[in-house]
Amino acid sequence: MSSGHHHSHPPQEAHSNHEPDLPFWQKYIFSVDHKVIGVQYTVTALIFLLVGFCLMLLMRWQLAYPGKEIPWIAGWFSERQMLGGIMLPEFYNQLGAMHGTIMIFLGVVPLAVGGFGNYVIPLQIGAPDMAFPKLNMASYWLFLIGGVIMISSFFLPEGAAQSGWTSYPPLSVVAAGGQTTWLVGMLFLIFSSLLGSMNFIVTIVQLRADGLTFFRLPFFVWAQFVTSFLLLLAFPPLQAAAVLQFMDRVFHTSFFLPSGLVVAGKVLEVAGGGNPILWQHLFWFLAHPEVYVLILPAMGICAEVMTCNTRKPLYGYKSMIYSTIFLGFMSFVVWAHHMFLTNMGTKMSTFFQITTMIISIPSVIILTSLILSLWGGSIRFKTPMLFAIAFLPMFAIGGLTGLPLGLTAADIHLHDTYYVIGHFHYIVAPGTLFGLFAGIYHWYPKVTGRKMSEVLGKIHFLGTLIGMNCIFMPMFIMGIAGVSRRLWDPTQYAHAVPTQPLNVFISIAAWCMALGQIPFIINFFGSLIWGKKADDNPWQATTLEWATSTPPPHGNFATPPQVYRGPYEYSVPGQRTDFLPQNVKGDN
Amino acid sequence: MNHYYGWGLPVNISTHGAAIDHLIYVIHIFMAVLFIGWFIFLIYALIKFRSRDGHKAIYDINHFKVPTYLEVFVALLEVVLLVGFSFPIMNQVRQQIPDKSKALEVRVLGEQFAWNIHYPGPDGLFGKSAPEFMKPGSPVGLDPEDPIGKDDVVTINQMNIPVHRPVLVHLSSKDVIHSFFLPVMRVKQDAIPGQSIPVWFEATQTGKFEIACAQLCGLGHYRMRGFFNVQSPEDFAKWLVSKAPKKRIPATPRVPAPLKSFVEDSTATVASHTTAPS
């Protein structure tokens, strides 16, 4: 790790030339190899995504048929969760809080950053491993411990956290249940993220192959680079806030509790003098950059998949990079647009409205560049490409519907309604997740040496695309009608009754989409056995991960690659092939 | 269920709501135009440049002028949305708080899981209140020693206001954060313990509507529903009198018989500390 130029570093070459003879548990379980860790992250995160998805499938029953007995599976739950087969409100709130927490902190981010970042970055920059392999292993295991703590809270007598993934005090401080467990789990996850992000930054700065300048890096690496800075700088405030909330709950301090609280008819015996809004500031100072942590890696993956499948260089490579950097900076000064209704002054809300509008500009540049990259290409509609293409309109819907929420006047009516849920799910679910699915289908052959089935892939794509839109599009209608989120029984409100049929429709769509994931699960595991053998460069791509053998050996490259050009030299005139890898000298 | 609510925006009966609705419509038209334009381009490009025999990708990148125009167009439109719509509306909603002499002042105090509505009574002054006096029968914690509070009217989950008169709500919460949501008034404001937040609105028509809680506040969040009744000034005055504390007969507190027109008052009226909720 001490040297940035490993071509002049003999021990690493020796290291990369022979497969070390390690016992099984060191090679595949407590491994320090970035590829094994990347696969561990990917598989773990996919399992967590499935768990988080299942929680939502349960909640969808209660939302579609409030207060009705759950068929078939009611017996699986304890009396603290379901009474007579009917979901209790406190269990519904637990499912809601944990769905958000699991999807974001245990699913999407670990998959996008821990999984893809770990596996792909060292290969794409021509490095033998991450800069700090042991730290890398530590961040995976911290993540796993944090995840297990989170999930295990469902099995504790008091149940899981039930104050939303946002955990706003005073509710989160006075709430019964596993909020303390949630905070402890978060501390582990944040430590994991911090170690990982430092590792990525050092790796990208220090371990790039000879000739691989910053403006020859694949856009995916750039996206991960900016993401790592966001994680590194945004998480510490939440770390501090989580410790303070932990103190409030366990040691009865009052960091977030004002004086004179009367809870359930009793004056709360605490010192008081705290401020509940402080938590929201600290939380959103992380959680807004977190949105870009979710979206940037997916955009990076789309750039890789789209250039490869259009056989054409990226449109506006540099402006995309500048936009990404600008986006990273701006993401730190928009957080309070989540808090427009907390009685902030008009000067503050004016500032945050302006920054929110400004941050949409680089997003539009990136999206427009990706769409324009299709122009003049020769588009191959392989499964990864289908997901990458679908990412574009899905992200566009998610981004555009952020506009009314970013304007305080429109936000008055839409705040905390289903409109918000539709908006951020379009960003994260059909947006980011489509990017991540594209990445799985794209790099699977490199990781496993086998291709995934195109037929199953296309079925999975269609089912997911239709499912996602049937789930999230109606939410905008519900939100405009004023239906609030996080309601155990929406039909209690007269203004939510007219759109209740949409809840039934959404639930059925969600259950159907769950069935639509079965082809993916079969494909993911089955292709390990039945998949067609893949050669070193099955997609005829240009970036360095395709320049080594499939699957790459320990140490990645037999000889350190030399880079001659930018990442997306497809269809270069005067060449025999329509792709010119970064490490190949070329025909003339 | 009723004609105020449907698949679109709820009916608007506030003086400031039309501007908000207008903004919501304008943004959605803008979004639709932009998205449909993008989407048509996307589909066209996918068909035109599909991989097929004899078709080759072009290495050169076309330098379109369109993206630059598009960026400028988007940026300008956002400026218009901000300066032309959002800022003025917010200025109206947050800064132009009505004159206290004209407005009806009401305190709204959220708790798990009810809205306590506190009217100042005929003297127009709120009695002192404190957390230690908050108990069943005294949900807003009026100080029993304070003479100013004797005529105050306190109701639970029932907010009545007169039509065509500005209402200034002092919003707070006694336990966790709630959000005071009047769908038909285009009013939504977090109720934050430790803060008293001014919210104002003016109704343009009478009718029976609802108060909702828009911020997760615990297991009863879904049922934190209140009734919101906009009345003619005369009806409102009558209602207020009917809810006034009956302090002349403290020995046997009598709950006034529910008026026919207020069948929805399912929760009892708590007038000061003289009558107890049923």
Side-chain angles (χ1 to χ4, degrees):
Chain A
M1 50 131 284
S2 57
S3 168
H5 308 279
H6 51 81
H7 57 99
S8 60
H9 203 284
Q12 275 180 336
E13 265 183 56
H15 172 72
S16 59
N17 278 339
H18 82 286
E19 195 89 6
D21 219 8
L22 294 169
F24 175 83
W25 61 273
Q26 256 185 328
K27 206 166 159 186
Y28 296 110
I29 297 174
F30 295 102
S31 172
V32 292
D33 186 324
H34 74 98
K35 297 184 293 297
V36 178
I37 294 170
V39 172
Q40 287 174 328
Y41 259 117
T42 304
V43 173
T44 316
L46 283 172
I47 292 169
F48 281 136
L49 280 175
L50 186 63
V51 172
F53 184 42
C54 289
L55 301 187
M56 180 41 67
L57 295 177
L58 264 179
M59 293 173 78
R60 286 304 331 170
W61 174 269
Q62 171 62 29
L63 285 169
Y65 310 108
K68 295 240 172 69
E69 213 176 303
I70 291 190
W72 309 313
I73 57 167
W76 299 358
F77 300 93
S78 76
E79 281 193 352
R80 293 182 310 272
Q81 295 168 329
M82 298 211 188
L83 213 55
I86 296 163
M87 183 182 295
L88 293 173
E90 44 274 56
F91 185 53
Y92 175 85
N93 286 350
Q94 291 175 23
L95 292 174
M98 295 305 284
H99 167 76
T101 307
I102 291 171
M103 286 310 210
I104 292 171
F105 296 110
L106 301 179
V108 174
V109 174
L111 181 57
V113 179
F116 287 107
N118 252 308
Y119 197 95
V120 178
I121 289 176
L123 286 167
Q124 279 199 332
I125 65 171
D129 205 315
M130 294 285 278
F132 308 110
K134 282 182 182 154
L135 217 57
N136 202 16
M137 182 176 87
S139 53
Y140 171 75
W141 287 98
L142 283 171
F143 155 67
L144 187 66
I145 294 168
V148 169
I149 289 173
M150 283 285 183
I151 302 276
S152 67
S153 62
F154 274 113
F155 303 99
L156 297 175
E158 69 269 33
Q162 48 179 285
S163 306
W165 79 283
T166 49
S167 292
Y168 282 2
L171 179 64
S172 57
V173 176
V174 300
Q179 184 65 23
T180 310
T181 326
W182 186 91
L183 291 164
V184 173
M186 278 309 289
L187 292 179
F188 276 95
L189 295 175
I190 296 171
F191 274 126
S192 158
S193 250
L194 289 176
L195 295 185
S197 58
M198 284 193 291
N199 211 344
F200 284 127
I201 292 169
V202 176
T203 304
I204 294 168
V205 171
Q206 290 290 325
L207 298 186
R208 279 167 293 121
D210 210 27
L212 189 56
T213 59
F214 271 99
F215 281 116
R216 285 179 175 176
L217 284 176
F219 181 67
F220 175 77
V221 178
W222 265 107
Q224 291 278 0
F225 191 51
V226 174
T227 301
S228 296
F229 276 102
L230 299 187
L231 285 172
L232 184 66
L233 300 176
F235 254 135
L238 184 65
Q239 183 87 318
V243 172
L244 297 183
Q245 197 180 99
F246 183 87
M247 305 260 285
D248 275 7
R249 280 185 65 88
V250 177
F251 304 115
H252 305 294
T253 55
S254 303
F255 291 104
F256 302 125
L257 300 180
S259 310
L261 288 183
V262 179
V263 180
K266 287 200 189 85
V267 177
L268 204 63
E269 296 290 335
V270 291
N275 187 343
I277 300 304
L278 174 63
W279 165 270
Q280 296 191 19
H281 282 292
L282 295 171
F283 180 85
W284 288 113
F285 188 81
L286 156 89
H288 197 83
E290 183 83 1
V291 173
Y292 295 92
V293 168
L294 300 168
I295 200 72
L296 286 176
M299 286 173 164
I301 292 169
C302 286
E304 301 305 298
V305 173
M306 287 179 63
T307 46
C308 174
N309 288 290
T310 52
R311 319 305 294 163
K312 189 175 187 339
L314 199 58
Y315 179 92
Y317 167 76
K318 276 198 180 175
S319 47
M320 281 177 74
I321 289 170
Y322 291 132
S323 298
T324 308
I325 296 170
F326 184 60
L327 208 62
F329 276 107
M330 287 305 293
S331 73
F332 284 103
V333 286
V334 296
W335 80 90
H337 68 207
H338 297 268
M339 303 163 54
F340 280 148
L341 299 191
T342 57
N343 190 34
M344 64 173 67
T346 35
K347 285 200 183 88
M348 284 281 278
S349 74
T350 301
F351 174 79
F352 283 104
Q353 284 183 81
I354 293 174
T355 55
T356 303
M357 292 301 121
I358 291 174
I359 203 171
S360 68
I361 302 291
S363 317
V364 173
I365 293 179
I366 294 175
L367 192 62
T368 310
S369 298
L370 286 174
I371 293 180
L372 289 178
S373 296
L374 297 167
W375 196 265
S378 173
I379 303 166
R380 303 188 303 211
F381 294 97
K382 303 279 184 193
T383 308
M385 184 60 173
L386 291 177
F387 276 105
I389 293 168
F391 168 86
L392 304 174
M394 297 297 103
F395 176 72
I397 294 174
L400 284 170
T401 51
L403 274 179
L405 299 169
L407 296 166
T408 41
D411 185 55
I412 291 174
H413 182 66
L414 299 174
H415 194 94
D416 268 330
T417 62
Y418 268 80
Y419 198 93
V420 179
I421 306 201
H423 154 66
F424 71 72
H425 278 91
Y426 260 99
I427 298 273
V428 180
T432 299
L433 275 182
F434 275 17
L436 299 180
F437 277 133
I440 290 174
Y441 286 100
H442 183 65
W443 281 304
Y444 189 93
K446 176 52 68 178
V447 177
T448 63
R450 288 175 188 274
K451 283 188 171 179
M452 290 175 90
S453 153
E454 276 290 316
V455 175
L456 286 175
K458 279 170 181 156
I459 295 172
H460 173 225
F461 168 72
L462 265 184
T464 311
L465 181 70
I466 296 168
M468 290 279 191
N469 283 288
C470 289
I471 293 168
F472 297 117
M473 194 56 84
M475 291 189 182
F476 295 124
I477 300 169
M478 293 172 65
I480 285 177
V483 183
S484 297
R485 56 194 294 204
R486 294 165 167 172
L487 296 174
W488 175 73
D489 179 359
T491 59
Q492 295 281 323
Y493 287 107
H495 70 274
V497 168
T499 53
Q500 180 60 16
L502 288 176
N503 258 332
V504 179
F505 177 78
I506 292 171
S507 293
I508 292 168
W511 299 324
C512 291
M513 199 181 78
L515 297 178
Q517 303 310 302
I518 293 170
F520 172 72
I521 297 171
I522 295 172
N523 205 355
F524 190 83
F525 292 105
S527 298
L528 287 173
I529 306 158
W530 302 299
K532 269 190 228 139
K533 282 243 158 76
D535 59 22
D536 290 351
N537 191 359
W539 307 115
Q540 305 192 301
T542 50
T543 44
L544 288 181
E545 76 269 34
W546 308 103
T548 182
S549 54
T550 285
H554 192 70
N556 294 348
F557 297 92
T559 51
Q562 170 75 35
V563 171
Y564 298 98
R565 60 184 61 79
Y568 307 120
E569 293 298 288
Y570 290 99
S571 303
V572 181
Q575 300 296 319
R576 269 171 295 138
T577 55
D578 68 348
F579 65 109
L580 201 49
Q582 286 189 282
N583 63 323
V584 171
K585 263 200 166 149
D587 291 343
N588 33 27
Chain B
M1 175 133 177
N2 74 49
H3 60 280
Y4 299 129
Y5 311 111
W7 277 44
L9 285 165
V11 70
N12 165 53
I13 61 151
S14 73
T15 51
H16 71 275
I20 292 177
D21 293 358
H22 187 53
L23 172 63
I24 291 177
Y25 290 132
V26 168
I27 304 177
H28 281 85
I29 291 167
F30 162 56
M31 282 154 59
V33 167
L34 206 59
F35 181 76
I36 292 168
W38 256 340
F39 194 69
I40 290 172
F41 180 86
L42 176 71
I43 299 297
Y44 178 69
L46 291 178
I47 295 168
K48 186 171 161 75
F49 298 106
R50 69 191 185 280
S51 168
R52 56 194 186 272
D53 288 341
H55 175 74
K56 277 195 174 140
I58 311 154
Y59 175 72
D60 292 323
I61 289 166
N62 292 297
H63 285 281
F64 298 99
K65 283 271 163 56
V66 180
T68 322
Y69 296 142
L70 188 72
E71 290 295 337
V72 173
F73 169 71
V74 170
L76 281 179
L77 244 148
E78 287 179 347
V79 170
V80 171
L81 290 174
L82 280 174
V83 179
F85 292 88
S86 195
F87 292 166
I89 297 172
M90 281 322 275
N91 188 46
Q92 186 193 359
V93 173
R94 300 306 302 274
Q95 304 277 351
Q96 297 170 12
I97 293 172
D99 191 5
K100 286 193 180 181
S101 60
K102 284 184 202 143
L104 169 74
E105 279 189 276
V106 186
R107 286 179 67 217
V108 173
L109 189 64
E111 73 170 87
Q112 289 175 321
F113 303 94
W115 297 103
N116 301 297
I117 320 289
H118 179 186
Y119 296 88
D123 64 357
L125 296 169
F126 293 107
K128 273 189 207 129
S129 61
E132 55 267 30
F133 301 120
M134 289 177 187
K135 48 184 174 283
S138 178
V140 299
L142 278 172
D143 183 347
E145 302 300 314
D146 182 22
I148 296 171
K150 298 287 182 201
D151 65 341
D152 288 12
V153 174
V154 179
T155 61
I156 300 175
N157 287 333
Q158 180 70 45
M159 181 173 189
N160 287 31
I161 63 157
V163 70
H164 300 309
R165 181 177 168 196
V167 177
L168 178 59
V169 169
H170 301 282
L171 182 63
S172 192
S173 165
K174 57 164 96 162
D175 41 36
V176 303
I177 297 175
H178 303 276
S179 194
F180 180 68
F181 180 27
L182 301 173
V184 292
M185 298 299 287
R186 305 296 183 266
V187 165
K188 192 183 285 166
Q189 172 62 53
D190 286 358
I192 299 165
Q195 287 192 40
S196 176
I197 302 172
V199 186
W200 76 270
F201 46 84
E202 185 179 331
T204 56
Q205 71 176 72
T206 57
K208 288 180 185 172
F209 310 98
E210 64 187 353
I211 309 171
C213 179
Q215 179 69 268
L216 177 67
C217 58
L219 59 90
H221 168 54
Y222 71 95
R223 59 177 159 85
M224 192 164 158
R225 181 187 184 207
F227 299 99
F228 176 60
N229 201 341
V230 183
Q231 296 176 298
S232 67
E234 301 77 41
D235 285 349
F236 174 70
K238 268 188 239 161
W239 176 80
L240 207 57
V241 169
S242 78
K243 297 290 165 184
K246 309 283 184 287
K247 52 193 165 190
R248 296 274 165 79
I249 34 167
T252 46
R254 270 201 319 222
V255 181
L259 296 171
K260 204 182 174 191
S261 56
F262 298 109
V263 198
E264 281 189 328
D265 293 40
S266 55
T267 38
T269 300
V270 183
S272 187
H273 49 282
T274 52
T275 55
S278 53

